[in-house]
Amino acid sequence: AVPVQSGDRLFMEVESPRDCTMYFLGSDSGIGGLNVLWLPRQKSAVLLGRLYNNGQLAGVAQKQVLRFTERNNTDPTVLKLNKNGRVMFLKPGRVNVNYHQNIIHSCDYASITAYYQGLALPDPVPFMQQVLGNTNAKAEGIYLSGSYDVEEGSQIYLQMTCKRGRINGVGEGHFSTLSVLWVLP
């Protein structure tokens, strides 16, 4: 998230190794699309995190809560990232959660599930899930995206599951990124 003022311009630069072919997908202009969402700062907040317990995920054969390092938080009075991997909401609102991760596994399937726990729902309930079939130990991406209404004091967390098999590796840095956008209801 980047603050902008009237008259500011946004430029995008794409870098790639010399032996890499770049393709731009989007309109018939040959230029790729870029999503830009403008929200008033007083009515929104963004939290960005990167997976930090990826080393603990290798070899996982059951379930593991994902934990993140905070990279950016535009309003700590609204969003809080706890060390146990949970994102806490200090004000009620609507959130959009996005997570992408590169993974190598030999499970029958691997899944990422987002759970919500609030005052009205004291037991965690899943509110979105993405499943990735067996990759035969090749790197693939798994993406999770969805929106949910949250209460003050509620929290969400993400859990990785491997059904029969094992996680061989999980991407680091940009390859395992969490984005939470909060807006007033």
Side-chain angles (χ1 to χ4, degrees), residues 59-157:
V60 166
Q62 295 297 318
K63 299 176 181 182
Q64 180 76 32
V65 172
L66 303 181
R67 295 189 177 137
F68 301 91
T69 301
E70 189 174 290
R71 304 295 293 175
N72 188 7
N73 187 345
T74 63
D75 193 345
T77 67
V78 174
L79 300 168
K80 180 182 177 186
L81 180 59
N82 295 323
K83 292 185 183 207
N84 63 2
R86 294 172 182 242
V87 177
M88 180 175 277
F89 304 101
L90 305 174
K91 295 182 181 177
R94 179 130 181 108
V95 295
N96 180 265
V97 179
N98 287 285
Y99 178 68
H100 72 270
Q101 173 181 305
N102 278 11
I103 182 174
I104 301 171
H105 73 88
S106 57
C107 313
D108 284 353
Y109 68 86
S111 67
I112 303 290
T113 306
Y115 289 88
Y116 175 81
Q117 187 174 12
L119 303 175
L121 298 167
D123 295 324
V125 294
F127 69 97
M128 64 179 167
Q129 181 179 59
Q130 185 65 42
V131 177
L132 177 65
N134 191 324
T135 65
N136 296 316
K138 293 182 182 173
E140 292 286 344
I142 187 167
Y143 308 93
L144 184 71
S145 182
S147 298
Y148 204 74
D149 290 324
V150 296
E151 303 171 297
E152 180 178 340
S154 63
Q155 48 192 340
I156 62 164
Y157 65 93

Side-chain angles (χ1 to χ4, degrees), residues 21-84:
T21 303
M22 295 293 295
Y23 295 96
F24 294 97
L25 305 174
S27 67
D28 59 3
S29 67
I31 297 175
L34 174 66
N35 290 326
V36 177
L37 177 64
W38 178 86
L39 295 167
R41 179 174 268 195
Q42 303 84 354
K43 298 182 180 186
S44 63
V46 174
L47 181 136
L48 301 174
R50 287 198 184 147
L51 185 69
Y52 85 79
N53 66 332
N54 56 329
Q56 298 170 349
L57 299 173
V60 166
Q62 295 297 318
K63 299 176 181 182
Q64 180 76 32
V65 172
L66 303 181
R67 295 189 177 137
F68 301 91
T69 301
E70 189 174 290
R71 304 295 293 175
N72 188 7
N73 187 345
T74 63
D75 193 345
T77 67
V78 174
L79 300 168
K80 180 182 177 186
L81 180 59
N82 295 323
K83 292 185 183 207
N84 63 2

Side-chain angles (χ1 to χ4, degrees), residues 154-171:
S154 63
Q155 48 192 340
I156 62 164
Y157 65 93
L158 304 183
Q159 180 176 277
M160 177 187 285
T161 301
C162 172
K163 183 71 172 177
R164 284 192 298 274
R166 70 185 299 266
I167 302 294
N168 302 85
V170 175

